[in-house]
Amino acid sequence: MTYNILIAEDDRDIAQLLKLYLESSGYRTVAASDGEEAFALVETEDIHLAVLDIMMPKLDGYQLTMKIRERGYDFPIIFLSAKVEDNDKILGLNLGGDDY
């Protein structure tokens, strides 16, 4: 079985690096550069894991996580962010993220 990983990251260099690493490990990736595009992929693809940036346009990673969880999707969500304050981590995990 091939696992599908959503990469939601507005920095193209970071997104490309994640894509190369994950695909070289045998995963299939789909990528979005903003939260709205990412949610559209959640609704149309069979996502097994999401790697989300927090500071994205349209819907940030927190808002995207809330929307994903409100719609009943239960795949793991990992936040990948430059925000390192404890409050940011606690918020992300409380909203439904699985790791930060």
Side-chain angles (χ1 to χ4, degrees):
M1 175 179 179
T2 301
Y3 291 99
N4 302 318
I5 300 177
L6 168 65
I7 301 168
E9 170 63 64
D10 62 330
D11 184 310
R12 289 186 179 165
D13 291 335
I14 293 171
Q16 187 62 28
L17 183 63
L18 285 169
K19 181 179 175 71
L20 287 171
Y21 179 77
L22 292 167
E23 289 181 355
S24 72
S25 296
Y27 299 102
R28 178 179 171 267
T29 64
V30 292
S33 60
D34 66 61
E36 287 181 1
E37 182 183 1
F39 189 72
L41 289 170
V42 167
E43 292 194 306
T44 59
E45 299 284 337
D46 184 22
I47 302 298
H48 298 102
L49 170 71
V51 179
L52 308 181
D53 182 19
I54 291 176
M55 297 178 287
M56 291 186 294
K58 299 186 182 175
L59 283 177
D60 66 29
Y62 295 139
Q63 295 166 323
L64 177 57
T65 297
M66 288 189 302
K67 197 168 181 176
I68 289 169
R69 295 302 189 223
E70 285 171 359
R71 294 286 174 95
Y73 296 104
D74 64 350
F75 52 78
I77 295 173
I78 299 172
F79 289 108
L80 181 65
S81 178
K83 296 182 112 188
V84 296
E85 296 294 320
D86 287 341
N87 290 339
D88 296 317
K89 294 176 186 179
I90 291 167
L91 177 60
L93 296 173
N94 284 337
L95 290 175
D98 295 284
D99 205 347
Y100 196 104

